[in-house]
């Protein structure tokens, strides 16, 4: 890896395995809406593309979010990255998401900005992402074959219309590929998350890996499906299981010869705060951070 690239990931705990021991990230939950349906998601909870399902995050306005970032930065100096990852899809809430990034770029310019999306609206926003100097974008790509996608996504909402079944999946797939390409052209680092769903896309993920590698993704994070009936997701209710640790490792190992794999993901909350694997979100709930330090009021 060249020096410049090393610098770009040096203090990002998700993009650099070394960094995750020393640097913290935080998420702000400003993006409630979503434009697709994943069978592993129940909208009452955080976006399971990047987050632990079954967790409800406290929604913030962009101003509250910026306030929170300043408070957390003052208490946790190792906090280097601010991510927006839900609880829905950040790019299905573009005003809220970009307003938050703008405020933070203005008030705390040293903090790296990070974004996670299902990719449907990505081609439309790559220029804006570049302008705001957001150098890390995650796309969740679970398939490159719409027939497999049909088992994962019942519908996609695009341009004010709902597309069911394979028609919707084809749009999603196209936009994900376009988005990935556009990130590459804009020289923005891209991580791809794939949720491993046994019997659905487990054997397909090596093909996903091949395509995203060819298109220039920097890192691949294969995450296990977490499916519990009490979360009320389609997969949870139909008894779809997640992979065993051994099955997950086998798929990751299979792809590892080809590109850099992320293996230290902790499937965070949409309002996570702290080192990966450490959950300090309860120290910074709205009632706490808004009253403790009113001087950060935006
Ligand atoms: Fe957040 Fe995601 Fe950015 Fe990291 S998390 S938006 S890339 S700053 Fe990291 Fe958490 Fe795994 Fe995500 S451990 S769920 S990969
Ligand atoms: Fe849920 Fe995220 Fe999928 Fe939207 S993209 S349906 S919030 S898991």
């Amino acid at each position: 890896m060249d020096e410049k690239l090393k610098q770009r990931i040096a203090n990002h705990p998700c993009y650099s395995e070394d960094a995750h021991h020393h640097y913290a990230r935080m998420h702000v939950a400003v993006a409630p809406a979503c434009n697709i349906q994943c069978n592993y998601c129940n909208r009452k909870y955080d976006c399971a593309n990047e987050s632990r399902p079954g967790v409800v995050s406290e929604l913030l306005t962009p101003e509250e979010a910026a306030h929170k970032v300043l408070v957390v930065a003052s208490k946790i100096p190792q906090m280097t990255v601010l991510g927006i990852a839900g609880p829905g899809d950040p790019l299905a809430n573009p005003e809220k998401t970009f307003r938050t990034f703008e405020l933070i770029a203005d008030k705390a310019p040293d903090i790296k900005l990070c974004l996670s999306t299902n990719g449907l609206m990505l081609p439309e926003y790559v220029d804006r992402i570049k302008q705001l100097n957001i150098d890390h974008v995650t796309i969740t790509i679970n398939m490159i074959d719409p027939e497999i996608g049909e088992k994962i996504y019942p519908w996609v909402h695009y341009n004010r219309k709902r597309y069911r079944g394979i028609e919707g999946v084809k749009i999603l797939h196209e936009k994900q590929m376009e988005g990935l390409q556009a990130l590459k052209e804009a020289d923005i680092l891209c991580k791809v998350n794939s949720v491993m769903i046994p019997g659905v896309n487990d054997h397909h993920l090596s093909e996903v890996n091949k395509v995203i590698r060819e298109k220039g993704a920097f890192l691949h994070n294969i995450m296990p499906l977490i499916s519990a009936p009490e979360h009320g997701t389609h997969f949870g209710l139909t008894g779809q299981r997640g992979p065993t640790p051994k099955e997950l490792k086998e798929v990751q190992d299979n792809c590892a010869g080809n590109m850099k794999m992320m293996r230290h993901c902790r499937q965070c909350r949409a309002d996570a705060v702290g080192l990966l694997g450490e959950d300090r979100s309860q120290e910074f709930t709205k009632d706490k951070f808004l009253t403790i330090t009113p001087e950060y009021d935006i």
Side-chain angles (χ1 to χ4, degrees), residues 158-221:
Y158 184 70
N159 272 349
R160 298 204 187 86
K161 197 173 158 204
R162 185 169 300 211
Y163 296 87
R164 295 190 182 277
I166 200 145
E167 213 189 342
V169 180
K170 282 183 178 161
I171 299 172
L172 179 65
H173 170 60
E174 236 170 67
K175 297 294 160 191
Q176 289 179 334
M177 294 300 111
E178 265 177 50
L180 185 53
Q181 188 77 39
L183 290 175
K184 177 77 191 159
E185 280 158 20
D187 191 27
I188 296 166
L189 289 178
C190 177
K191 166 164 80 63
V192 169
N193 283 356
S194 301
V195 180
M196 177 178 166
I197 311 161
V200 175
N201 69 352
D202 45 350
H203 297 299
H204 179 57
L205 288 178
S206 54
E207 285 172 57
V208 172
N209 177 269
K210 183 168 174 272
V211 168
I212 62 159
R213 178 171 30 105
E214 283 165 5
K215 291 196 180 286
F218 173 73
L219 188 61
H220 195 186
N221 175 23

Side-chain angles (χ1 to χ4, degrees), residues 81-116:
V81 179
L82 180 270
I84 302 185
D89 186 74
L91 297 182
N93 304 260
E95 277 90 31
K96 292 187 177 109
T97 294
F98 289 117
R99 173 81 184 134
T100 305
F101 281 136
E102 273 163 17
L103 287 171
I104 290 158
D106 181 42
K107 309 274 174 198
D110 291 342
I111 292 177
K112 272 184 204 284
L113 305 177
C114 190
L115 167 76
S116 171

